[in-house]
């Protein structure tokens, strides 16, 4: 019997795949636990339509990420930090502060979890912060740290 998997099944296949299993395995395990449905013509067609929709949505998300990356790379973000004698910095600039500065200066939100800072910024000047927007799109955010 051919079955279309609705969820990943260990040692059998991933969600959306059409696999051939024994009749008993399908009737006693796959179908009752709603791990898959029988591969009828209607279900196969539904699977094709669903995959087409998912591909279209993935392409749309990729385009949105590219547009956001272009906006991010346009202007630098200025973050002010307190300094002491000789330009010595008190504390550091974290991704949380950079995200807040993006909202106020650029007008849109950049998730702090997507910023890939190896360590907090502890010096004045300009630093390039990579922002992973999509698995294929990484924007370069320019962060300018100045004295408060």
């Amino acid at each position: 019997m051919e079955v279309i998997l609705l969820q990943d099944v260990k040692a059998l296949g991933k969600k959306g795949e059409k696999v051939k299993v024994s009749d008993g395995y399908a009737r006693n395990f796959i179908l009752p636990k709603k791990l898959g449905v029988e591969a009828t013509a209607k279900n196969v067609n539904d699977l094709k339509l669903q995959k087409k929709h998912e591909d279209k949505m993935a392409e749309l998300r990729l385009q949105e990420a590219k547009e956001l990356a272009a906006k991010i790379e346009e202007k630098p973000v200025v973050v002010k930090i307190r300094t002491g004698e000789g330009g010595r910095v008190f504390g550091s600039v974290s991704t949380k502060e950079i995200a807040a500065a993006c909202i106020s200066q650029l007008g849109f939100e950049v998730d702090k979890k997507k910023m890939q800072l190896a360590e907090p910024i502890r010096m004045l000047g300009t630093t390039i912060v990579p922002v992973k927007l999509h698995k294929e799109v990484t924007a370069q955010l320019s962060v300018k740290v100045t004295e408060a």
Side-chain angles (χ1 to χ4, degrees):
M1 173 185 286
E2 287 195 337
V3 176
I4 298 171
L5 298 177
L6 299 175
Q7 297 177 16
D8 292 354
V9 179
K10 191 173 183 178
L12 190 58
K14 297 211 177 276
K15 177 182 176 182
E17 288 183 359
K18 189 164 96 170
V19 293
K20 189 167 180 77
V21 295
S22 68
D23 291 354
Y25 185 61
R27 275 194 308 272
N28 297 324
F29 183 74
I30 301 286
L31 299 177
K33 292 194 176 205
K34 306 250 189 278
L35 298 175
V37 292
E38 191 174 346
T40 61
K42 179 191 177 297
N43 290 339
V44 170
N45 191 32
D46 289 347
L47 175 67
K48 286 181 187 175
L49 291 173
Q50 184 179 6
K51 282 193 177 195
K52 192 181 286 187
H53 178 69
E54 287 173 0
D55 290 343
K56 186 177 179 182
M57 294 305 293
E59 183 66 32
L60 184 64
R61 282 191 293 275
L62 177 63
Q63 284 302 111
E64 289 174 352
K66 285 181 180 178
E67 290 170 8
L68 183 59
K71 286 181 184 178
I72 287 174
E73 292 174 354
E74 277 179 13
K75 297 186 247 177
V77 174
V78 179
V79 179
K80 296 187 181 201
I81 190 168
R82 284 186 39 208
T83 57
E85 290 181 25
R88 186 179 160 102
V89 176
F90 292 123
S92 62
V93 178
S94 66
T95 56
K96 182 178 179 181
E97 293 165 326
I98 296 170
C102 285
I103 292 172
S104 65
Q105 294 172 24
L106 300 179
F108 52 86
E109 186 175 351
V110 177
D111 189 5
K112 69 178 184 177
K113 294 174 187 162
K114 294 183 180 185
M115 292 182 200
Q116 299 174 325
L117 262 182
E119 55 190 48
I121 302 169
R122 290 191 171 94
M123 59 186 178
L124 298 177
T126 303
T127 306
I128 301 296
V129 178
V131 181
K132 188 152 179 103
L133 301 171
H134 188 269
K135 65 182 178 183
E136 298 173 15
V137 180
T138 302
Q140 303 296 324
L141 176 63
S142 178
V143 179
K144 185 175 182 182
V145 181
T146 61
E147 290 184 39

